[in-house]
Amino acid sequence: MSENKPILRALNGETLPTPPIWMMRQAGRYLPEYRATRAQAGDFLSLCYNSDLATEVTLQPIRRYGFDAAILFADILLVPQALGADLWFVTGEGPRLSTITDRAGVEQLKPVADIHETLNPVYQTVRNLAGALPPEVTLIGFAGAPWTVATYMIAGRGTPDQGPAHALKDADRPVFEALMERITQATIEYLSAQIEAGAEVVKIFDSWAGSLKGDDFDRYATAPARRIIAALNERHPGIPVIAFPREAGEKYIGFHAATGADCVAVDDSVSAEWVAENVQVDGCVQGNLKSSHMVTGGEALVSETRRIVKALAGGPHIFNLGHGITPDADPDNVKRMIDAVRGT
Ligand code: CP3
């Protein structure tokens, strides 16, 4: 059956006449049915840890739009929480965590083997989904990349330039690297458990990779991705991995080969034509429509969508946005994008 799933075919290197499609944050606040289920759960974290409701919100965009993939409903910050960090969300502002600023902070984290105690409900969501999805829809699990997760664990919040994480890296590399190591190990165990529960693909989100420059990019974006992918390939051969080193720019070139990723997801700061020439030559790519088109819609949405489909038609391609859909998006624009991709 799996050979008929369009996403798995593209990840396997096939060039399909119509690219399969899904959307980052496809289960999210732009959908009234998501907002209703989140209200039922009480708050965002309670929704993440309620397997029945997390299953429900994962399925909502599949029912409404018929996407080719469902992405597990969870968050990259559940891993820090499972390692012992305090985590909460401030409405209208975003995540807050206890901070790690020194060796004692790293040493106080829980052992990697203990993360499953916290994360078991997420694996249950994956099991529910594996049994509930239509046969042609692929189930994607995910985790944050070590650098992106570390930026939140160090600063205790999202930061525009990841300043605190860069400062710790530059001031005390051994402590920074001890933290990266702990997150890398936890990520391998977390993604492995998702695969054992039924995830057919996993994606590694490195949202802040673009702020790593030169050698730092190679050491803290490329190398951890390579280690995670190698460990997963060994334990779970045949499970494809999508890597998303957001805003990597020139560093997108060669990222497939450097990490072993089956697909490289690209943001909207590079053109689809450039991606075809420089990245897709090495394998499947995913992206890269500007998510603001989901707010503004109109003719520009349709023409940009068609342009990306055309530019990437010569190789394996999964259509997606360059970053997550925002809460102010119009659900009708998502339908227009899908129609433009599928040519209806
Ligand atoms: O894509 C999906 O639909 C799957 C679920 C998913 C969420 N977050 C749900 C979510 C995924 C894959 C993520 C990844 C994630 N989370 C990333 C990497 C991708 C990216 O966007 O760069 C990051 C950096 C986070 C951390 C995070 N979670 C932030 C910074 C925020 C607040 C910002 C915001 O959009 O509110 C979240 C909250 C979050 N994660 C929401 C959702 C649907 C909104 C929470 C709500 O319902 O109030």
Side-chain angles (χ1 to χ4, degrees), residues 24-29 34 38 44 71-77 89 94-95 142 148 152 205 207 323:
M24 281 185 270
R25 293 273 172 99
Q26 62 191 20
R29 285 163 294 179
Y34 170 84
R38 195 183 69 159
F44 172 65
I71 183 157
L72 163 70
F73 190 83
D75 197 81
I76 68 164
L77 300 177
F89 281 79
F142 74 92
T148 289
Y152 288 96
F205 285 88
S207 305
H323 201 189

Side-chain angles (χ1 to χ4, degrees), residues 5 16 18-19 28 31 53 65 75 78 81 84 92 99 103 117 132 142 149 182 211 251 259 275 277 282 314 317 331:
K5 297 194 181 196
L16 300 174
T18 301
L31 288 179
L53 296 182
Y65 298 115
D75 197 81
L78 304 187
Q81 188 173 40
T99 59
R103 181 163 294 279
E117 281 167 24
F142 74 92
V149 172
R182 187 73 66 99
S211 77
K251 294 282 194 181
T259 60
V275 170
E277 207 172 301
D282 292 331
H317 173 214

Side-chain angles (χ1 to χ4, degrees), residues 19-69:
I21 178 167
W22 68 280
M23 198 173 65
M24 281 185 270
R25 293 273 172 99
Q26 62 191 20
R29 285 163 294 179
Y30 74 105
L31 288 179
E33 59 268 38
Y34 170 84
R35 295 194 298 269
T37 310
R38 195 183 69 159
Q40 197 186 334
D43 59 56
F44 172 65
L45 281 176
S46 305
L47 177 54
C48 290
Y49 289 116
N50 181 323
S51 307
D52 290 338
L53 296 182
T55 301
E56 166 58 22
V57 292
T58 306
L59 293 172
Q60 285 168 349
I62 307 302
R63 284 189 208 115
R64 188 191 263 255
Y65 298 115
F67 283 117
D68 294 294

Side-chain angles (χ1 to χ4, degrees), residues 85-237:
D86 295 329
L87 171 69
W88 66 104
F89 281 79
V90 178
T91 310
E93 291 188 32
R96 294 289 183 273
L97 301 86
S98 44
T99 59
I100 292 189
T101 52
D102 56 14
R103 181 163 294 279
V106 179
E107 282 169 359
Q108 276 161 21
L109 291 173
K110 289 190 196 167
V112 167
D114 291 359
I115 62 171
H116 305 304
E117 281 167 24
T118 303
L119 297 169
N120 269 325
V122 177
Y123 312 144
Q124 184 57 46
T125 307
V126 175
R127 277 190 291 274
N128 292 350
L129 288 165
L133 284 170
E136 69 283 4
V137 177
T138 301
L139 177 55
I140 303 177
F142 74 92
W147 162 249
T148 289
V149 172
T151 66
Y152 288 96
M153 293 180 81
I154 294 165
R157 59 194 297 160
T159 43
D161 57 358
Q162 297 76 60
H166 283 286
L168 181 64
K169 162 172 68 64
D170 297 337
D172 196 342
R173 233 167 248 266
V175 164
F176 171 75
E177 291 189 349
L179 176 60
M180 288 286 288
E181 179 61 27
R182 187 73 66 99
I183 302 167
T184 302
Q185 295 292 345
T187 305
I188 291 168
E189 297 308 320
Y190 181 45
L191 290 176
S192 254
Q194 291 182 30
I195 293 167
E196 279 155 26
E200 300 172 281
V201 174
V202 292
K203 178 168 174 183
I204 304 169
F205 285 88
D206 210 348
S207 305
W208 301 119
S211 77
L212 292 166
K213 302 298 175 196
D215 284 353
D216 275 354
F217 185 94
D218 303 335
R219 283 152 85 175
Y220 304 127
T222 308
R226 180 170 63 238
R227 275 186 58 202
I228 294 164
I229 293 168
L232 295 176
N233 285 345
E234 199 181 307
R235 291 192 203 177
H236 308 286

